[in-house]
Amino acid sequence: MLTVSEAAALLRDFDNVLILTHIRPDGDTVGCAAALCAGLRALGKTAYLLPNPGLTDTTRPYFAPYAAPPDFTPDKVVSTDIATLALLPENARAYGDRVDLAMDHHSSFERFGRANILRAEAAACGELLYDILRELGPVTPEIALPLYVAVSTDTGCFAYSNTTAETHRTAAALMETGIDYRAVNKVFFRTKTRKRMQLEGAMLSGCEFHDRGRVAVLSVPLSLMERFQATESDAEELSALGGQIQGVDCAVTMRELRPDVWKLSLRTGDRVNATRACGILGGGGHAAAAGCTVEAPWAEAKRRILDAVAQVAPDFSAD
Amino acid sequence: MLTVSEAAALLRDFDNVLILTHIRPDGDTVGCAAALCAGLRALGKTAYLLPNPGLTDTTRPYFAPYAAPPDFTPDKVVSTDIATLALLPENARAYGDRVDLAMDHHSSFERFGRANILRAEAAACGELLYDILRELGPVTPEIALPLYVAVSTDTGCFAYSNTTAETHRTAAALMETGIDYRAVNKVFFRTKTRKRMQLEGAMLSGCEFHDRGRVAVLSVPLSLMERFQATESDAEELSALGGQIQGVDCAVTMRELRPDVWKLSLRTGDRVNATRACGILGGGGHAAAAGCTVEAPWAEAKRRILDAVAQVAPDFSAD
């Protein structure tokens, strides 16, 4: 495992770099990749991001300026915020066995790169990238803005339990470069489309409670998305919603990706280890936020995740 | 106007101190007052908070340990986060002409104290109190916890446009004292009662748009509060809701305090100066967040605030 200085030294030797982001890309993977690309270009290098089909209206603007042309042939491949090769988008699979440097912050990181760096205590991979990038050169606004997106989105704007004093210090340093962080906050944390409002309302109306009110199950079937003609952008981070209900310490969000294919996202408090519960069903993540995919009808998928939660949650009440 | 050192020196000379908070107390006024009280007591002084009838379930725990007994007779009176004497609760009016030190961060601060200190560029009065308190002595967890409440609540957990790099640095320093900031974030920013969820749903359903969708008017009549048996705690910070709707840069929240008495709260973007609009109706606040009270039936109160917005908003369209 590399140190920050070693990772920076490695990157300094790289050129013609392709940067990979994870499937269903979030602000952290996109922000880290964009910032790294900007940092490498500032050193005179050629660098691009492999196009990711899962971008949303909010993440696309940070990604687009760096998207690789179809004919780009990289000499080096780097990944940001990718815990395991299973999280590579389809079009990135060909690069799975030739990742020269993998940078991550998930405790479940599988060290699939030829070189690897992990900061498991970081709330966002962006905190690690900030330290690496400032060893490479001055942190310009072009670097700082996507890093602010990375750090702020992975912490729910500094509200999630993964947030540390170091997260705030990183944010302060990024903000002082003069970036328009207010616009980022407005778009990511203080803007909801009317469709989003409708989706949330419907999810909350159909919310089910288990385990004496401590486990909430919220569902986003394809039919709901269709009813409101909601897009992927309208449905981002819906998994944070259930955990906000008073008394709930394990929020399960069931999102139907394709007919009878459910992406289950857990957001949990101290009592329930989300990674362990999702691990039972072949998934992973962090202790307080994890996910897995289950192919089954809704009722069966729900039964499986509740069984998994029951196995890891002390004092679980089957009602 | 005092400097931080002068304010600290003054406080060092004070004893038997009564600390005042503002009407409809929020996390900033309560957090600052509690932190100051803890800091003064750490210096061996007698200090209390004047009981405030407007406390909510979330703010009360920070206030209660310091509430003054009925027979407390102060030698010195201090106020935190109070911009004008009009914001004193009823039971504090008697102290209006004898505030020895008034500490605030509102640009509309009226310097009503015998001594005054203002930091208008601070997002929260808590940022100013942090600097004063660390001149007085070590910032213990007893001081840091309410200050974290102050700083985080006045910035909507670091998401509002008043947030600066300094806000984050203050938060980082407070968090490093070992306080349970995660519990604060959970309670203030990631917990909603079911009643709160219902209130929000009803407000959004009844939302009116003006000025080509840029001005949203959301109403909380007494009848709505009664319908859900919602308490003051369920209704805190409802004024942040309307500004989250895409395309809205001026959110007006109309809260019926008593029959036909409306507290109007504005949350605005760059185009609309909230203080100027509310000033027309006798209120005040910050450029992006201000309020006023109008005694009139709903439709008339709405007409008055829309007229005021139209006067200060460039390019306002009367539809």
Side-chain angles (χ1 to χ4, degrees):
Chain A
M1 202 73 92
L2 302 185
T3 64
V4 164
S5 300
E6 289 165 350
L10 200 60
L11 287 165
R12 212 181 283 277
D13 283 341
F14 284 5
D15 203 350
N16 296 311
V17 181
L18 185 68
I19 305 168
L20 309 181
T21 52
H22 64 66
I23 193 168
R24 289 185 295 277
D26 58 11
D28 198 18
T29 194
V30 169
C32 287
L36 178 61
C37 200
L40 292 172
R41 290 186 183 182
L43 296 175
K45 300 175 188 298
T46 298
Y48 288 108
L49 275 52
L50 182 70
N52 189 319
L55 295 170
T56 62
D57 292 348
T58 51
T59 53
R60 192 173 296 108
Y62 299 94
F63 193 103
Y66 304 109
D71 60 346
F72 178 60
T73 306
D75 292 327
K76 298 290 181 183
V77 178
V78 175
S79 70
T80 56
D81 194 44
I82 302 181
T84 151
L85 291 175
L87 293 175
L88 285 181
E90 193 70 30
N91 63 338
R93 295 280 159 82
Y95 298 102
D97 62 351
R98 51 165 294 199
V99 175
D100 296 284
L101 174 59
M103 300 181 274
D104 193 32
H105 74 121
H106 297 89
S107 56
S108 57
F109 179 50
E110 289 183 359
R111 308 178 185 206
F112 53 81
R114 291 168 186 173
N116 300 283
I117 182 164
L118 169 70
R119 186 179 290 173
E121 70 275 19
C125 196
E127 292 180 46
L128 171 62
L129 264 289
Y130 171 69
D131 281 347
I132 293 171
L133 282 163
R134 66 180 172 155
E135 287 231 4
L136 281 178
V139 176
T140 62
E142 289 69 36
I143 295 171
L145 188 66
L147 283 183
Y148 180 82
V149 171
V151 169
S152 60
T153 57
D154 242 31
T155 57
C157 204
F158 313 97
Y160 296 162
S161 60
N162 59 359
T163 309
T164 69
E166 185 62 22
T167 317
H168 282 277
R169 283 228 181 70
T170 302
L174 296 170
M175 289 158 70
E176 277 182 338
T177 64
I179 56 170
D180 190 0
Y181 60 88
R182 291 182 175 94
V184 174
N185 289 347
K186 177 78 181 160
V187 168
F188 281 93
F189 309 112
R190 295 168 51 218
T191 301
K192 289 181 183 182
T193 60
R194 293 194 204 181
K195 287 175 186 176
R196 169 64 175 227
M197 297 271 187
Q198 290 172 311
L199 268 183
E200 291 191 1
M203 284 173 70
L204 291 168
S205 306
C207 180
E208 275 189 17
F209 294 92
H210 299 271
D211 187 19
R212 294 196 295 258
R214 294 178 297 185
V215 176
V217 180
L218 294 92
S219 304
V220 193
L222 285 170
S223 59
L224 193 63
M225 296 291 289
E226 284 157 13
R227 167 150 53 116
F228 296 126
Q229 298 188 286
T231 65
E232 199 50 43
S233 299
D234 297 316
E236 270 184 289
E237 281 292 313
L238 278 176
S239 51
L241 201 59
Q244 292 184 3
I245 304 168
Q246 202 167 44
V248 170
D249 74 353
C250 175
V252 179
T253 305
M254 302 181 57
R255 173 83 192 279
E256 195 174 20
L257 300 176
R258 297 182 298 282
D260 289 347
V261 178
W262 295 88
K263 165 93 177 102
L264 308 181
S265 301
L266 262 66
R267 296 291 182 274
T268 59
D270 289 340
R271 186 178 63 106
V272 184
N273 185 306
T275 297
R276 284 187 56 215
C278 290
I280 292 171
L281 299 177
H286 304 280
C292 58
T293 303
V294 172
E295 300 200 25
W298 176 79
E300 169 64 14
K302 185 182 68 165
R303 191 192 60 74
R304 285 193 209 164
I305 189 65
L306 286 176
D307 283 353
V309 170
Q311 282 182 53
V312 306
D315 186 33
F316 185 92
S317 165
D319 297 323
Chain B
M1 202 72 90
L2 301 186
T3 65
V4 164
S5 300
E6 289 165 350
L10 200 60
L11 287 165
R12 212 181 282 277
D13 283 341
F14 284 4
D15 202 352
N16 296 311
V17 182
L18 185 68
I19 305 167
L20 309 182
T21 52
H22 63 66
I23 193 168
R24 291 185 295 276
D26 58 11
D28 198 20
T29 195
V30 169
C32 286
L36 177 61
C37 200
L40 292 172
R41 289 187 184 182
L43 296 175
K45 299 175 188 298
T46 298
Y48 289 108
L49 274 52
L50 182 70
N52 189 319
L55 295 170
T56 63
D57 292 348
T58 51
T59 53
R60 192 173 295 107
Y62 299 94
F63 193 104
Y66 305 108
D71 61 346
F72 177 62
T73 307
D75 292 327
K76 297 290 180 183
V77 178
V78 175
S79 70
T80 55
D81 193 45
I82 302 182
T84 150
L85 291 175
L87 293 173
L88 284 181
E90 193 70 30
N91 63 337
R93 295 279 159 82
Y95 299 102
D97 61 352
R98 53 166 293 199
V99 175
D100 296 283
L101 174 60
M103 299 181 275
D104 193 31
H105 74 122
H106 298 88
S107 56
S108 56
F109 179 50
E110 289 183 0
R111 309 179 185 206
F112 53 82
R114 291 168 186 174
N116 300 284
I117 183 166
L118 168 69
R119 186 179 290 173
E121 69 275 20
C125 196
E127 292 179 45
L128 170 62
L129 264 288
Y130 171 69
D131 281 346
I132 293 172
L133 282 163
R134 65 181 173 156
E135 287 230 3
L136 282 178
V139 176
T140 61
E142 289 69 35
I143 294 171
L145 187 66
L147 283 184
Y148 181 82
V149 171
V151 169
S152 60
T153 56
D154 243 31
T155 57
C157 204
F158 312 98
Y160 295 161
S161 60
N162 59 358
T163 310
T164 68
E166 185 62 22
T167 316
H168 282 277
R169 282 228 180 69
T170 302
L174 295 171
M175 289 158 71
E176 277 182 339
T177 64
I179 55 171
D180 190 1
Y181 60 88
R182 292 183 175 92
V184 173
N185 289 347
K186 176 78 181 161
V187 168
F188 282 92
F189 310 112
R190 293 169 51 217
T191 301
K192 290 182 183 180
T193 60
R194 293 194 204 183
K195 287 175 186 177
R196 169 64 175 226
M197 297 270 187
Q198 290 171 310
L199 269 184
E200 291 191 0
M203 285 173 70
L204 292 168
S205 307
C207 181
E208 275 189 17
F209 294 92
H210 299 270
D211 187 20
R212 293 196 296 257
R214 294 178 297 185
V215 176
V217 180
L218 294 91
S219 304
V220 193
L222 285 170
S223 59
L224 192 63
M225 297 291 289
E226 284 157 13
R227 168 149 52 117
F228 296 126
Q229 299 188 287
T231 64
E232 199 50 43
S233 300
D234 297 317
E236 269 184 290
E237 281 293 312
L238 278 175
S239 52
L241 202 59
Q244 292 184 3
I245 305 168
Q246 201 167 43
V248 170
D249 74 353
C250 175
V252 179
T253 305
M254 302 181 58
R255 173 83 192 278
E256 195 174 20
L257 299 177
R258 298 182 298 282
D260 288 347
V261 178
W262 296 87
K263 165 92 177 102
L264 308 181
S265 301
L266 262 67
R267 296 291 181 275
T268 59
D270 289 340
R271 186 177 63 106
V272 184
N273 185 306
T275 296
R276 285 186 56 214
C278 290
I280 293 171
L281 299 178
H286 304 280
C292 58
T293 303
V294 172
E295 300 200 25
W298 177 79
E300 170 63 14
K302 185 182 69 165
R303 193 193 59 73
R304 285 194 209 163
I305 188 68
L306 286 175
D307 283 353
V309 170
Q311 282 182 55
V312 307
D315 186 32
F316 184 93
S317 164
D319 296 323

